[in-house]
Amino acid sequence: SQQGEEDPQALSIQEGENATMNCSYKTSINNLQWYRQNSGRGLVHLILIRSNEREKHSGRLRVTLDTSKKSSSLLITASRAADTASYFCATDPKYNYGQNFVFGPGTRLSVLP
Amino acid sequence: NAGVTQTPKFQVLKTGQSMTLQCAQDMNHNSMYWYRQDPGMGLRLIYYSASEGTTDKGEVPNGYNVSRLNKREFSLRLESAAPSQTSVYFCASSAPRHEQFFGPGTRLTVL
């Protein structure tokens, strides 16, 4: 079974609104990463948060990590049409020695102009 | 820097045919990965290579073989293609415990 599960599966918002998506995982991790995938393209890394960090920012992105609940959230503020994409979380399981990331099925975000 | 490159971009095979997907990275990463992506399934790891000369099975290795030719190149081979292998294939590379860099993908259809 997959380590990471994003929620919701799909999200549709208006331009300018904030978008929040969540990721839950099952085992202890070294870090958790968020990626974006535009239709028909490869994944692009957005942000990495380590297990000893609780919050991280990058531009309009804010990621939180709660290791006690085994969950993370990605917030995109002031969304734009160009943010329309699928978003994936990936976990680096603690006892896989960094060799084997596990991806969730993704959240499809649609930002309407 | 080209990053991670993959060839071909598209391929159509008949059941039973073989082919090799090529991947190369110019970031001097030790680790390289092959994934497949099916609709609604996210990415599933087929094989990975922690360093030159080593390869390990991922979640869905059946029907595939890999070769880590050198530090730059990691190829994926389908010996006898099946319709269930119709998918988009992504290669990625990374430094240990860091983010992965992905290639543009190969869209494979097996008839």
Side-chain angles (χ1 to χ4, degrees):
Chain A
S1 62
Q2 300 231 358
Q3 164 82 318
E5 293 283 341
E6 292 92 348
D7 170 57
Q9 290 187 348
L11 180 61
S12 187
I13 60 174
Q14 296 293 132
E15 213 165 17
E17 293 181 338
N18 295 342
T20 300
M21 51 205 89
N22 304 296
C23 172
S24 60
Y25 57 93
K26 295 176 181 172
T27 63
S28 297
I29 60 172
N30 294 302
N31 64 64
L32 184 145
Q33 305 173 24
W34 285 93
Y35 291 82
R36 183 187 72 231
Q37 183 181 35
N38 291 93
S39 181
R41 301 287 193 93
L43 278 72
V44 174
H45 177 259
L46 295 175
I47 199 161
L48 180 153
I49 186 165
R50 301 198 184 280
S51 61
N52 61 352
E53 297 176 310
R54 292 296 166 258
E55 189 170 312
K56 207 159 182 182
H57 297 254
S58 176
R60 293 184 295 112
L61 306 180
R62 172 178 169 253
V63 167
T64 61
L65 179 64
D66 187 334
T67 53
S68 66
K69 294 181 179 177
K70 291 186 169 59
S71 68
S72 173
S73 67
L74 170 67
L75 168 67
I76 304 173
T77 60
S79 63
R80 306 166 182 167
D83 294 328
T84 294
S86 291
Y87 292 82
F88 296 88
C89 70
T91 52
D92 174 10
K94 204 170 189 70
Y95 301 108
N96 269 0
Y97 306 104
Q99 308 302 347
N100 187 352
F101 297 94
V102 184
F103 284 81
T107 292
R108 289 190 312 280
L109 174 65
S110 297
V111 181
L112 306 174
Chain B
N1 275 356
V4 179
T5 57
Q6 290 183 238
T7 56
K9 285 188 167 52
F10 301 93
Q11 184 71 50
V12 179
L13 294 177
K14 294 180 180 177
T15 297
Q17 287 185 317
S18 62
M19 78 162 296
T20 300
L21 282 66
Q22 306 286 354
C23 174
Q25 52 96 5
D26 61 4
M27 294 172 283
N28 204 35
H29 288 156
N30 283 325
S31 301
M32 296 186 73
Y33 311 81
W34 276 105
Y35 295 91
R36 60 177 289 173
Q37 184 177 34
D38 302 300
M41 295 289 291
L43 274 76
R44 290 185 292 170
L45 183 66
I46 304 171
Y47 271 94
Y48 64 96
S49 170
S51 61
E52 185 180 349
T54 69
T55 60
D56 285 285
K57 295 178 181 179
E59 184 184 354
V60 288
N62 291 345
Y64 305 95
N65 284 303
V66 290
S67 295
R68 182 74 182 266
L69 304 169
N70 48 55
K71 193 170 188 180
R72 287 188 66 247
E73 298 172 290
F74 189 37
S75 62
L76 178 71
R77 182 159 178 85
L78 287 70
E79 291 290 352
S80 179
S84 61
Q85 294 177 305
T86 293
S87 190
V88 182
Y89 291 85
F90 289 101
C91 177
S93 71
S94 76
R97 298 240 158 86
H98 283 70
E99 67 271 24
Q100 296 190 347
F101 292 83
F102 284 81
T106 295
R107 192 172 297 273
L108 175 66
T109 301
V110 183
L111 302 175

